Amino acid sequence: MSRCYRMALNPIPNEELVEMALDYNAVALVGDYTANEKAWIHTIGSLRNANWRFHLVDPDHAGESFNELPILGSVEEIRNYVPLIQIMDTTQKEKWFELASQRMEVWGDIQMIWMHKNNAITQRDRDDAHAYGWSVIENECLAKKLSEKSPSAP
């Protein structure tokens, strides 16, 4: 039985998931950046300060740039390891989960989904994530956690 499958069947406390996720050092930010530009800017700043590798994914704005970074249309376009997906908004959460599931079918590298703070999901969403072997982090701010781990971050 894979580690991720066991994690989904026997949920690990959120605090432990956060610690595990902070060790990945790579993330894809997925969502509609126009829904909350301030949160995107804050998160990008924290990722840069923590020297994380990250990509922006927003299918509706593919080919554009945000904060001097290219916006991809799909997580499948990312050509390196992506263990963590942060869903930045729930405006189209089914679409964001679908993007992540498509990546899993091709790459099989996603370990966790981190819901940006204050983005509610349903039990069905959690069950769908667990069906893919993903753990879900909720009610935590990635930027804040990076700042706590790395005091030089904003």
Side-chain angles (χ1 to χ4, degrees):
M1 183 181 312
S2 76
R3 180 179 68 90
C4 288
Y5 186 69
R6 283 193 307 272
M7 288 170 32
L9 288 178
N10 302 306
I12 296 172
N14 219 37
E15 304 79 38
E16 290 181 42
L17 291 175
V18 167
E19 287 303 313
M20 293 168 69
L22 292 177
D23 286 339
Y24 290 141
N25 208 33
V27 65
L29 305 180
V30 177
D32 177 1
Y33 81 88
T34 63
N36 189 349
E37 287 187 30
K38 184 178 176 183
W40 282 75
I41 290 169
H42 183 69
T43 302
I44 289 167
S46 294
L47 291 167
R48 282 180 170 153
N49 286 338
N51 293 315
W52 271 44
R53 187 172 30 84
F54 61 96
H55 302 275
L56 310 182
V57 179
D58 180 350
D60 296 333
H61 298 279
E64 298 176 16
S65 63
F66 178 72
N67 207 17
E68 301 178 8
L69 296 164
I71 299 174
L72 303 175
S74 167
V75 288
E76 288 181 75
E77 295 176 45
I78 302 168
R79 295 293 175 234
N80 40 22
Y81 183 58
V82 180
L84 181 63
I85 301 287
Q86 181 170 29
I87 296 180
M88 295 294 291
D89 68 88
T90 54
T91 57
Q92 302 176 62
K93 68 181 170 186
E94 291 81 13
K95 182 178 183 177
W96 310 147
F97 272 83
E98 179 65 24
L99 285 173
S101 70
Q102 290 170 357
R103 173 143 185 123
M104 278 301 285
E105 291 173 11
V106 176
W107 293 84
D109 55 356
I110 299 169
Q111 304 292 310
M112 290 185 205
I113 301 290
W114 189 314
M115 298 302 297
H116 187 70
K117 188 162 178 75
N118 299 324
N119 283 332
I121 61 171
T122 65
Q123 185 58 48
R124 181 172 180 212
D125 297 330
R126 285 181 206 91
D127 292 345
D128 288 348
H130 292 166
Y132 277 100
W134 305 329
S135 290
V136 180
I137 298 173
E138 298 178 70
N139 300 314
E140 296 288 351
C141 177
L142 176 59
K144 180 179 177 186
K145 292 298 179 181
L146 286 170
S147 296
E148 291 170 358
K149 184 176 180 178
S150 182
S152 64

